[in-house]
Amino acid sequence: MRRHLITGHYGPGDRNRMPLGDGEIETRLDLVAGERSLGHGIGRALADLSRLGVFPSEMGVDVLVLAAHVHAADTRVSRDSESQDGWTRELRLIVPVSDPDRWRTAALTFERLLNFLTGDHWSLGFRARPGRFARVAPTPPARLIGPQFDDLALFSGGLDSLIGAIDALEAGRTPLLISHAGEGATSDAQGTIFDALKAHYRGRSFERLRLWMAFPDGFIRGSAGENTTRGRSFLFFALGVFAGTGLERAFTLKVPENGLIAVNVPLDPLRLGALSTRTTHPFYIARWNDALGTLGISGRIENPYWDRTKGEMAEECANPALLRRLTPASLSCASKGRWQGLGTQHCGYCLPCLIRRASLLKGFRPDRDPTIYTVPDLAAHALDTRQSEGVQVRSFQLAIERLRARPGLVSLST
C-alpha cells in the first residue's frame, strides 16, 4: 500500500511545499494553463458561464478546484496496486483556496462525505492561493437584472435527468442544466437530448453548462488508472454548486434520481458498503448541505424524486409523449454495451438496465419500451448466473425471496 498526497498549485511561481507523511507520495496538480487561465476545464466553464451572464463567486471556484483534486485522486490512484485490501486508498489533498480559514471549518464534513462516497480514507488541507491569484473569477458587471435562470439541475443524459428537465420546462421554469462530459457515448446522449429539448421548446431560453475534466495516464507516478469512479458525483455536484454561486440569489441544485437508485438498497451481501454506489444517497446529499452552510454558500442540493420509483417518474412525467419520443436517446446502462461497438445500445441485464426495463414497462403501458437492448428478452432463455447477463437478475431474485420470507425488511430500508 502507498499513501498519496495531491497538492494543488497556481502556476509555476507557486512553490509552496508541504511536508510528506510516512510513506507518502506527492503529486503536483497544476491548476493554471498559460499565463492566468485555469486549466482542467475550469477556465472554460467560467468563460461559458460569463457568456450566459452567470458569474460564480470565488468560493464557487474553490468548490470546483477541490473537485478537480478529488477527481484526479479518484480516477488516477489504482485500488489494485495502491491499497492494502484491493479497495481502500489513503488520499490526502492540499487545496489552495480563497479563504482557507473558512474551508478548514468545513474540512471534516467534506472528509466524512468523501469517505462515505468512495470507501477510502480522505484527509483534506487548505492553504491560501498565491497573491497573484487572490481573484480568479470574472467580476460581474453592474446590472439591474440578474441571470435569467430560475432552475438549476444536473443533466446526465440518463432517463431520470430527462424526466427532470421535461418536468421543469413544462412547469414554465428556465433551467440551467449541468453536465459533466464523460466518455463519448454519454456526451453524445447529453447533446442529442439537449438539442431535442431546444427544438421542442423553441424560443425558451434554458441553457446547459458542460464540463470536460480528465487526467492523463501516468498522472500519478507508478500507479495505473482507476475505473471504479465512486467519486464521480462529487465533481458533478461541485459543478452545479459552482454555477449556482453565480445566480445572485439562494439556489437549489436539483438532482433528479429515483429513490431506489438513490438509496441503492443492497440486493445481496456482496453489495454492502462502498461496493454499492452512493452517488445520490440521502446521507451524502445531507452532508453536502452541511458543508455549503459552513462555507456560507446560499444554496442547497435536493433530490425532488427521492420518494418515487423510476416507474412512477416515467408514469407521472409532465409530457409523456415527449418522454416516449426521447427515451431511446437517453442512456442508463452501467455495463456499457456501447464499449462493444454497439453505439448507445443498452445491455439490458445490468442493474440500471433492469430497473429501466421494469420502470418503462410500468410507465409506458400499454405502449412498449422503445429502448434497444443487447438481450432483448430476459425470459427467452435461462440466464447463466455465473455470467454478467445473469448476475444482476439473480440478485433481484434473491432480494425478492428475502422480502417474501421477511416482509418486515422493507421498513428497514424506507
Side-chain angles (χ1 to χ4, degrees):
M1 184 193 81
R2 299 194 302 174
R3 298 178 175 88
H4 286 271
L5 166 65
I6 296 180
T7 57
H9 295 266
Y10 272 88
D14 183 0
R15 297 186 176 89
N16 188 285
R17 294 300 301 266
M18 302 300 298
L20 293 178
D22 184 33
E24 200 170 46
I25 297 172
E26 181 181 9
T27 300
R28 177 185 173 110
L29 174 57
D30 290 311
L31 297 166
V32 178
E35 186 63 23
R36 280 193 59 86
S37 178
L38 296 184
H40 309 294
I42 301 173
R44 174 69 179 272
L46 282 168
D48 289 346
L49 284 177
S50 294
R51 285 190 286 271
L52 298 176
V54 178
F55 298 90
S57 68
E58 296 296 336
M59 191 66 72
V61 173
D62 288 341
V63 171
L64 193 51
V65 166
L66 168 60
H69 289 68
V70 170
H71 194 59
D74 186 50
T75 60
R76 294 295 103 195
V77 178
S78 169
R79 294 187 186 277
D80 182 50
S81 65
E82 307 304 298
S83 68
Q84 61 183 352
D85 59 1
W87 186 268
T88 309
R89 301 165 296 185
E90 296 202 18
L91 305 168
R92 185 162 71 104
L93 312 177
I94 303 296
V95 186
V97 292
S98 60
D99 187 344
D101 288 340
R102 178 163 285 187
W103 272 98
R104 288 179 190 121
T105 64
L108 288 177
T109 302
F110 276 110
E111 289 172 358
R112 188 180 184 196
L113 69 85
L114 283 168
N115 291 343
F116 177 81
L117 178 65
T118 72
D120 300 302
H121 296 312
W122 294 84
S123 176
L124 305 183
F126 299 96
R127 66 176 180 88
R129 300 176 191 162
R132 182 166 171 253
F133 292 93
R135 286 197 60 84
V136 295
T139 302
R143 55 187 177 181
L144 296 176
I145 301 175
Q148 61 190 332
F149 306 106
D150 59 8
D151 205 84
L152 186 66
L154 301 187
F155 185 72
S156 66
L159 185 62
D160 289 5
S161 71
L162 170 59
I163 293 170
I166 291 174
D167 286 352
L169 289 162
E170 288 293 322
R173 310 288 287 178
T174 303
L176 175 58
L177 302 174
I178 305 298
S179 296
H180 171 236
E183 45 86 23
T186 301
S187 295
D188 290 345
Q190 293 168 359
T192 299
I193 294 172
F194 181 73
D195 290 345
L197 290 173
K198 290 295 281 187
H200 184 84
Y201 296 99
R202 196 177 305 278
R204 301 279 292 277
S205 53
F206 66 97
E207 292 293 344
R208 178 167 70 118
L209 172 66
R210 183 171 177 266
L211 173 76
W212 171 261
M213 183 183 288
F215 294 88
D217 291 340
F219 176 74
I220 302 292
R221 186 176 71 256
S223 173
E226 178 57 46
N227 62 11
T228 54
T229 60
R230 284 298 189 265
R232 61 189 179 275
S233 73
F234 189 90
L235 176 60
F236 212 177
F237 283 26
L239 181 62
V241 170
F242 161 77
T245 64
L247 296 184
E248 299 180 6
R249 60 182 177 275
F251 65 86
T252 298
L253 174 62
K254 295 179 181 177
V255 181
E257 185 78 90
N258 69 85
L260 179 62
I261 286 291
V263 175
N264 210 350
V265 179
L267 300 176
D268 59 56
L270 295 179
R271 293 179 178 275
L272 293 176
L275 297 178
S276 188
T277 56
R278 297 162 166 180
T279 54
T280 56
H281 195 283
F283 179 87
Y284 172 66
I285 291 177
R287 300 294 75 74
W288 256 104
N289 288 329
D290 291 344
L292 294 181
T294 301
L295 292 175
I297 293 176
S298 298
R300 290 187 56 78
I301 301 173
E302 294 181 359
N303 178 2
Y305 302 101
W306 69 271
D307 59 348
R308 279 182 255 182
T309 66
K310 201 182 196 82
E312 289 169 337
M313 288 178 66
E315 193 172 40
E316 299 166 11
C317 179
N319 190 330
L322 180 61
L323 178 62
R324 283 175 171 80
R325 179 161 65 85
L326 298 186
T327 285
S330 67
L331 208 52
S332 303
C333 184
S335 294
K336 308 294 190 293
R338 50 200 178 277
W339 290 351
Q340 304 167 24
L342 301 174
T344 56
Q345 185 170 313
H346 290 70
C347 73
Y349 50 77
C350 68
L351 181 70
C353 276
L354 293 176
I355 294 174
R356 178 188 176 106
R357 297 180 87 144
S359 68
L360 295 183
L361 184 66
K362 171 183 174 62
F364 284 2
R365 59 186 176 190
D367 296 340
R368 66 176 184 83
D369 176 359
T371 309
I372 297 174
Y373 298 105
T374 303
V375 178
D377 185 353
L378 292 172
H381 63 277
L383 299 175
D384 187 347
T385 57
R386 296 169 299 178
Q387 303 296 323
S388 58
E389 70 174 20
V391 169
Q392 309 294 353
V393 173
R394 182 57 177 158
S395 293
F396 269 106
Q397 291 171 335
L398 285 170
I400 290 168
E401 289 304 315
R402 288 175 65 211
L403 290 175
R404 282 176 177 163
R406 299 175 59 193
L409 288 175
V410 174
S411 62
L412 298 179
S413 60
T414 57

